[in-house]
Amino acid sequence: MAKFVVTPASQAQREAWVGGAIPEVERVRPGLWSIPVPIPINPLRYVLVYALELPDGVAIVDAGWNTDEAYDALVAGLGVAGYAITDVKGVLVTHIHPDHYGLAGRIRETSGAWIALHPADAGLVRERYDDEAIDSLVERERALLARCGVPPLTLDELAGASMMIRHMVSMARPDRLVEDGEELGLPGWDLRAVWTPGHSPGHLCFFSPSRRLLLSGDHVLAKITPIVAVHPQSGPNPLADYLDSLAAVRKLDADEVLPAHEYRFLELAERVDYVMAHHDARLAEIEQVVGSLDGVTCWDAATRLTWSRPWETIPPFMRRSANNETLAHLVWLEAKGRVRREPGEPDLWRLP
Ligand SMILES: [Zn+2]
Ligand SMILES: [Zn+2]
């Protein structure tokens, strides 16, 4: 597969990313700011929060993880743009993941801002509020992993998975639900929501036709591809959703993509084509693995795929997401009739 490398829209931002630093606060366009907010213990290092100037303050796209360090970085970044945290009128959240949604509640407490989310992700917040619902979520995850043939988890690993979910419990409920195609109605901005399920069931991108800008969240990024996995809170065929969502943003007439991680860049359509080709190649690789064995579990298939590093060196928690990503590809192939599932404990996968 020929490598396609995007053109950075900001050399300084790209150099900071490549050099392992946190980029500067930047004015992307008149009235539009990019504010890096650090994420603790995560190779992505920061989320890029965008501040959109309004006549009486700012609206921000994404918020950051709920830590003091992130909050302070956001306050300082808004300061560079000439605003205080109390000037935030609205928080548009691309999706429910804690690096995007975590701080939204705290910002609302300080500033009275509204919080907006797509209904599909808003539904997941409600589930995570309830202790019993969280236990059932962990239980469903365990059942899903068992059907994949994942070796039984140690208690420590299970506790880790449960902690991961509990971490998000303090997240606030949204004030405003944003549907596909909705005009946000921000004064001075022709900003429109584009529903892009896949990475998360309610993922939203935001598009400004007059400025020809796409705020892409985690949907399209310069170098990495977002995790698209089957899990208890995913849709039944998240990879199909994701590929459809890529096709939806590919049609947009954008000169620049403003993602939530790494750095902003120019070529939306070419980057989308490359990500689609990457998934095609991955699907072919998985189909080939299924064809080479007489009945394989999802987990065994995952261990035979090429990953960015040798399987043995991937930590257990990340192996589970690798398994769930493999499952997303198997489910997609099953829906197309390219593989079939023999249900059981575990499920076995075969060619038709
Ligand atoms: Zn995410
Ligand atoms: Zn993210």
Side-chain angles (χ1 to χ4, degrees), residues 95 97 199 218:
H95 65 298
H97 293 165
H199 174 59
D218 281 0

Side-chain angles (χ1 to χ4, degrees), residues 44 47 95 97 99-100 199 218 260-261:
L44 291 174
V47 64
H95 65 298
H97 293 165
D99 48 330
H100 300 256
H199 174 59
D218 281 0
H261 302 287

Side-chain angles (χ1 to χ4, degrees), residues 4-337:
F4 170 72
V5 180
V6 296
T7 310
S10 159
Q11 272 307 336
Q13 206 174 60
R14 182 186 168 274
E15 274 162 29
W17 165 252
V18 173
I22 304 276
E24 300 285 315
V25 174
E26 286 184 356
R27 197 178 80 146
V28 178
R29 292 281 191 285
L32 174 60
W33 297 82
S34 158
I35 302 172
V37 172
I39 313 170
I41 34 168
N42 186 307
L44 291 174
R45 291 204 305 279
Y46 55 87
V47 64
L48 295 167
V49 172
Y50 295 93
L52 287 61
E53 294 183 12
L54 306 173
D56 59 346
V58 285
I60 61 174
V61 174
D62 285 329
W65 196 290
N66 190 12
T67 66
D68 289 342
E69 191 196 0
Y71 185 79
D72 293 347
L74 180 62
V75 169
L78 285 168
V80 173
Y83 293 93
I85 194 81
T86 46
D87 293 323
V88 179
K89 303 297 170 194
V91 186
L92 295 160
V93 185
T94 58
H95 65 298
I96 197 185
H97 293 165
D99 48 330
H100 300 256
Y101 197 45
L103 263 184
R106 188 161 165 191
I107 296 166
R108 177 171 62 193
E109 272 170 36
T110 316
S111 69
W114 45 261
I115 300 171
L117 204 60
H118 186 274
D121 271 20
L124 306 181
V125 179
R126 279 194 288 277
E127 188 172 36
R128 285 168 177 177
Y129 258 99
D130 181 334
D131 261 0
E132 250 170 62
I134 294 164
D135 289 339
S136 111
L137 215 55
V138 172
E139 197 40 57
R140 279 186 286 149
E141 173 75 10
R142 198 214 300 254
L144 183 144
L145 293 172
R147 285 193 63 182
C148 286
V150 177
L153 299 171
T154 67
L155 281 176
D156 281 355
E157 284 174 323
L158 267 177
S162 143
M163 278 295 286
M164 274 290 293
I165 296 167
R166 279 169 200 274
H167 217 94
M168 305 174 199
V169 172
S170 64
M171 289 199 300
R173 288 164 198 261
D175 307 286
R176 188 174 163 184
L177 298 180
V178 175
E179 300 280 354
D180 185 35
E182 192 170 322
E183 295 286 341
L184 276 308
L186 302 176
W189 291 89
D190 58 345
L191 206 65
R192 190 171 88 209
V194 187
W195 181 37
T196 48
H199 174 59
S200 156
H203 192 287
L204 289 170
C205 293
F206 300 102
F207 177 58
S208 166
S210 67
R211 289 176 175 81
R212 299 161 71 101
L213 290 174
L214 179 68
L215 293 115
S216 65
D218 281 0
H219 185 50
V220 189
L221 299 146
K223 291 200 73 167
I224 50 169
T225 55
I227 291 176
V228 177
V230 174
H231 56 81
Q233 287 197 323
S234 75
N237 189 348
L239 186 58
D241 293 341
Y242 181 66
L243 295 173
D244 287 349
S245 300
L246 282 179
V249 296
R250 194 193 186 288
K251 290 189 216 136
L252 300 172
D253 195 8
D255 295 334
E256 190 174 332
V257 182
L258 309 178
H261 302 287
E262 301 180 320
Y263 49 89
R264 52 200 170 89
F265 61 95
L266 302 184
E267 303 94 342
L268 172 63
E270 289 85 347
R271 178 62 186 156
V272 164
D273 290 344
Y274 185 77
V275 174
M276 284 177 162
H278 157 83
H279 283 288
D280 276 349
R282 198 62 165 165
L283 288 160
E285 186 188 4
I286 292 172
E287 190 177 23
Q288 200 259 325
V289 166
V290 171
S292 70
L293 296 157
D294 185 28
V296 64
T297 65
C298 176
W299 175 260
D300 279 340
T303 63
R304 287 171 158 82
L305 300 175
T306 43
W307 298 95
S308 57
R309 50 177 145 160
W311 181 260
E312 300 68 40
T313 67
I314 301 177
F317 177 73
M318 287 175 67
R319 284 188 199 176
R320 288 209 297 279
S321 31
N323 174 79
N324 292 10
E325 273 190 89
T326 305
L327 183 58
H329 286 78
L330 285 167
V331 165
W332 189 95
L333 289 166
E334 181 186 33
K336 295 284 175 190

